[in-house]
Amino acid sequence: MEAISDKILVCGAGGFIGGHLVADLLKQGYQDIRGVDLKPFKEWHQHVPEIENLRLDLQDRTACERATRDVRIVFNLAADMGGMGFIENNRALCMLSVLINTHLLLAAQKHNVERFFYSSSACVYAADKQTSADVIALKETDAYPAMPEDGYGWEKLFSERMCRHFREDFGIVTRVARYHNVYGPHGTFDGGREKAPAAICRKVIQAKLSGKREIEIWGDGNQTRSFMYIDDCIDGSQRILASEILEPINLGSSELVTINQLVDIVEKIGEIKLKRNYNLKAPKGVNGRNSDNTLIKKHLRWEPATKLRDGIEKTYRWIYDQVSSGAN
Ligand code: NAD
């Protein structure tokens, strides 16, 4: 019998969540880790020279075969994505990430990978369930009948089902988490792919440093969301992969805030009050979205619990250091 290797593959290791996952696996004592990303190493969010780092385009099937060789566990966190500003204007690019998950699954099948994690998104949820800021939290069953976010959400929904059918037909243990807005240090905070928490922190910091006491907010500020701190995302992803949860499951915070309340929190941390200019033409996504955590609490007796105030404080401090040192 062939010896089972303990090699863990992190796809998208140069990105925000992938970088944190690698750091956490190392902290837990895992040593045989392969990190793969399309970006040149100098652009990776976190540099971890002690693991095997490969630069590959995972849309390519041969690259996926190289990446999965001798691997026991795969985390697929690689995708061409960003905040609303990016996904509303780059639908074809978002949909092309379907090649990454498809080729990774085929390669995983070929190399007898044992467990495969796929990072899906709350963008799979039907738009007609998210028309009001006064939300009813989204349950996993709300993804069907399907009417997801155009482009990005369709790709995620399709790839979820691909994972399901590879599990049913080929026996790969696939697990799928639907992430709801993840934020934290080492995330993208400028350049067009940043999401609301990082963008608002950066804008408040820039206003503070420049003395221009104004902030532009996308939408009317009344849209509601929940935001999950990165540590909860990393912890929850590993719990879901190790679990017996067969269907895609929400991984998100259930602490609901309006964008205006998020700005209040950041202003308080930055000890500043700004004039708010609402840009009603900017991409703002759905009116309201929250994570129903009934299922994750039932299966894991756990849910993301970091308070938004605490997570934003750490994120703000990190972005402050980046902006004030000119790292952006
Ligand atoms: P990220 O953009 O920081 O990381 C994704 C990484 O994938 C990037 O480093 C990118 O270079 C890499 N990548 C893209 N195309 C590739 C290719 N062809 N080959 C190899 N690498 C490639 O994003 P993230 O925030 O770390 O998100 C990770 C995963 O979680 C993604 O699948 C994303 O859709 C999902 N997700 C994230 C959030 C969030 O709030 N951050 C929410 C829902 C779902």
Side-chain angles (χ1 to χ4, degrees):
M1 203 172 72
E2 268 180 20
I4 296 170
S5 110
D6 281 323
K7 198 183 283 297
I8 301 175
L9 169 65
V10 178
C11 303
F16 167 46
I17 301 173
H20 278 279
L21 177 62
V22 167
D24 186 70
L25 291 169
L26 279 172
K27 207 162 78 190
Q28 292 178 60
Y30 291 101
Q31 285 170 348
D32 201 357
I33 303 167
R34 179 179 291 154
V36 176
D37 205 285
L38 178 66
K39 287 191 298 220
F41 298 119
K42 61 177 174 26
E43 291 173 23
W44 288 31
H45 289 222
Q46 298 190 56
H47 296 269
V48 196
E50 54 273 49
I51 69 161
E52 180 191 1
N53 290 307
L54 297 178
R55 186 180 175 197
L56 294 171
D57 181 353
L58 293 170
Q59 289 194 7
D60 176 70
R61 183 163 172 182
T62 316
C64 289
E65 292 188 358
R66 167 71 187 91
T68 51
R69 203 179 299 149
D70 302 325
V71 161
R72 192 166 74 87
I73 290 170
V74 173
F75 286 92
N76 178 13
L77 299 161
D80 203 354
M81 62 88 68
M84 282 322 293
F86 179 79
I87 66 179
E88 283 197 3
N89 293 306
N90 295 278
R91 295 192 170 117
L93 284 184
C94 289
M95 290 207 78
L96 279 170
S97 294
V98 77
L99 294 174
I100 300 177
N101 199 58
T102 306
H103 288 146
L104 271 176
L105 279 168
L106 283 167
Q109 181 198 9
K110 179 169 173 178
H111 291 303
N112 299 316
V113 164
E114 270 179 35
R115 283 191 177 247
F116 186 103
F117 177 87
Y118 178 62
S119 50
S120 185
S121 162
C123 287
V124 300
Y125 285 114
D128 64 353
K129 298 258 168 34
Q130 305 171 80
T131 51
S132 164
D134 189 15
V135 295
I136 299 172
L138 292 159
K139 289 194 292 292
E140 285 76 358
T141 45
D142 289 331
Y144 296 96
M147 206 209 318
E149 170 77 34
D150 203 0
Y152 179 72
W154 276 110
E155 189 278 317
K156 290 291 185 195
L157 199 62
F158 179 88
S159 291
E160 284 188 357
R161 289 200 83 85
M162 189 80 100
C163 287
R164 176 199 186 123
H165 295 306
F166 268 68
R167 174 173 55 76
E168 289 173 345
D169 296 357
F170 303 137
I172 303 175
V173 177
T174 56
R175 297 289 181 259
V176 177
R178 289 183 184 150
Y179 292 165
H180 291 244
N181 286 307
V182 190
Y183 72 96
H186 296 285
T188 305
F189 60 92
D190 68 356
R193 289 185 187 241
E194 64 278 22
K195 298 187 158 205
I200 290 168
C201 286
R202 187 203 71 230
K203 288 177 187 179
V204 169
I205 291 162
Q206 284 170 336
K208 208 173 152 73
L209 294 175
S210 69
K212 195 164 176 258
R213 298 189 153 241
E214 290 182 20
I215 183 169
E216 184 191 62
I217 295 169
W218 287 10
D220 60 11
N222 294 320
Q223 64 273 38
T224 49
R225 290 290 185 281
S226 72
F227 299 98
M228 169 168 56
Y229 189 58
I230 183 68
D231 290 3
D232 289 332
C233 173
I234 298 303
D235 188 1
S237 300
Q238 293 173 77
R239 286 172 188 261
I240 289 168
L241 183 68
S243 78
E244 293 310 312
I245 305 168
L246 300 183
E247 298 294 328
I249 189 162
N250 281 335
L251 183 55
S253 163
S254 56
E255 184 184 346
L256 189 72
V257 288
T258 64
I259 293 299
N260 277 326
Q261 286 168 328
L262 177 62
V263 178
D264 292 342
I265 291 174
V266 180
E267 282 182 340
K268 209 170 251 174
I269 293 166
E271 297 173 333
I272 193 167
K273 211 65 198 137
L274 302 172
K275 177 174 175 291
R276 299 180 186 186
N277 302 321
Y278 295 98
N279 181 351
L280 302 181
K281 294 207 175 110
K284 69 168 190 121
V286 294
N287 286 330
R289 174 181 288 165
N290 197 6
S291 176
D292 181 317
N293 286 350
T294 312
L295 218 53
I296 197 164
K297 283 194 281 188
K298 179 175 151 223
H299 284 293
L300 301 180
R301 298 177 193 289
W302 176 92
E303 68 177 316
T306 305
K307 289 270 155 253
L308 186 61
R309 173 72 174 75
D310 298 341
I312 289 289
E313 170 113 42
K314 291 182 188 155
T315 309
Y316 179 94
R317 303 278 166 234
W318 181 82
I319 296 176
Y320 188 92
D321 288 346
Q322 307 307 305
V323 174
S324 58
S325 69
N328 55 329

